[in-house]
């Protein structure tokens, strides 16, 4: 009888120890997600959104110069804004780990769980969007720029010396700017979602007494 009680007690202690370990790891994961989301908020708000808006303004100025055939040498620097691609998507390292391990189900708050999954899907959309922009740049804009490189990298000036038809180039550049505008809108939406997720995580931590 004593042996049975001893084995049962040891099993109980081991099980409780494992539960305590899993709880501690899970609490650390919640804190890690919050830290990653805080980083995303800072990156979107203080860098990605304003930087892409600044580049967009330069792109539009370059298109206007080509369309109006004005601006001279200043078009060179503005044209470079098309190649200064600045894409970003949340890495969601901890979220990916929780999803792949099935531990996301440990979150008892259904709304928070759905918000985390939505944020993960949003990150995947941003990655796909960034890849598309880079592909368009390489397939459509780079060949044009290589063809016209003597007007941008030599003694010639595109505005003053190129006398060809610019309509196709203007259409391609304008399409590219529409992609950047859409990217900025998605970044702004991602920023709001990150802030909402941060608030929900902070409330969850408070409700569960997570340090």
């Amino acid at each position: 009888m004593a042996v049975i009680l001893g084995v049962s007690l040891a099993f109980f202690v081991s099980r409780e120890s494992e539960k305590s370990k899993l709880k501690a790891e899970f609490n650390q994961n919640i804190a890690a997600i919050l830290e990653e989301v805080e980083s995303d908020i800072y990156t979107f708000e203080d860098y990605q959104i304003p930087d892409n808006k600044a580049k967009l303004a330069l792109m539009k100025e370059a298109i206007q110069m080509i369309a109006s055939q004005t601006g001279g040498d200043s078009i060179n620097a503005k044209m470079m804004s098309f190649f200064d691609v600045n894409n970003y998507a949340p890495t969601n390292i901890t979220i990916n780990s929780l999803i792949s391990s099935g531990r996301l189900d440990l979150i008892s708050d259904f709304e928070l769980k759905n918000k985390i999954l939505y944020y993960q899907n949003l990150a995947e959309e941003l990655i796909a969007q960034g890849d598309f922009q880079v592909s368009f740049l390489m397939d459509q804009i780079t060949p044009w720029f290589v063809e016209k490189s003597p007007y941008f990298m030599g003694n010639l000036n595109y505005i003053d010396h190129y006398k060809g038809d610019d309509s196709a180039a203007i259409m391609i550049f304008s399409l590219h700017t529409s992609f950047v505008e859409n990217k900025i809108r998605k970044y702004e939406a991602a920023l709001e979602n990150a802030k909402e997720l941060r608030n929900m995580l902070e409330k969850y931590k408070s409700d569960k007494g997570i340090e």
Side-chain angles (χ1 to χ4, degrees):
M1 185 68 173
V3 174
I4 295 175
L5 287 174
V7 172
S8 298
L9 180 60
F11 177 76
F12 174 79
V13 170
S14 175
R15 185 177 62 182
E16 290 301 308
S17 176
E18 184 64 22
K19 284 172 62 177
S20 178
K21 179 182 177 182
L22 289 174
K23 182 179 179 181
E25 290 178 354
F26 178 73
N27 291 349
Q28 290 174 356
N29 286 329
I30 293 295
I33 294 175
L34 184 55
E35 186 176 325
E36 290 170 7
V37 170
E38 288 279 12
S39 177
D40 292 338
I41 291 172
Y42 170 79
T43 303
F44 280 127
E45 197 165 45
D46 289 11
Y47 180 57
Q48 286 293 335
I49 293 174
D51 186 67
N52 273 285
K53 284 183 176 179
K55 288 183 174 61
L56 179 63
L58 292 174
M59 293 176 196
K60 289 185 175 181
E61 288 176 15
I63 293 172
Q64 181 59 35
M65 287 180 180
I66 293 175
S68 62
Q69 288 295 295
T70 59
D73 292 334
S74 63
I75 191 175
N76 288 20
K78 291 178 172 58
M79 283 299 299
M80 289 299 101
S81 61
F82 283 92
F83 295 91
D84 190 5
V85 177
N86 193 357
N87 290 330
Y88 180 79
T91 52
N92 289 344
I93 295 174
T94 308
I95 291 177
N96 287 332
S97 175
L98 287 178
I99 293 173
S100 61
S101 66
R103 285 181 292 170
L104 187 65
D105 291 335
L106 295 174
I107 296 179
S108 56
D109 188 321
F110 181 75
E111 186 178 358
L112 174 59
K113 190 187 303 182
N114 278 346
K115 191 67 173 180
I116 290 174
L117 289 171
Y118 180 80
Y119 194 65
Q120 168 63 11
N121 289 334
L122 186 60
E124 293 175 356
E125 287 181 17
L126 292 177
I127 292 172
Q129 175 182 269
D131 291 344
F132 180 80
Q133 183 191 356
V134 172
S135 295
F136 186 86
L137 174 67
M138 297 305 295
D139 295 341
Q140 300 294 328
I141 294 180
T142 299
W144 179 91
F145 196 86
V146 170
E147 182 183 346
K148 305 296 187 296
S149 60
Y151 298 99
F152 293 100
M153 306 176 72
N155 295 323
L156 299 176
N157 177 277
Y158 185 83
I159 296 297
D160 297 332
H161 298 98
Y162 181 69
K163 304 304 178 183
D165 183 7
D166 292 313
S167 56
I170 291 173
M171 181 183 68
I172 292 172
F173 296 148
S174 298
L175 189 56
H176 184 83
T177 60
S178 72
F179 298 150
V180 178
E181 287 174 333
N182 184 56
K183 177 172 68 174
I184 292 171
R185 285 193 293 270
K186 287 195 173 184
Y187 281 0
E188 290 171 338
L191 172 61
E192 291 308 309
N193 274 277
K195 289 180 177 179
E196 291 172 5
L197 180 55
R198 175 185 62 186
N199 293 340
M200 294 173 71
L201 286 166
E202 288 177 341
K203 182 178 185 302
Y204 187 82
K205 281 184 63 180
S206 176
D207 292 345
K208 298 295 182 180
I210 299 174
E211 296 296 331

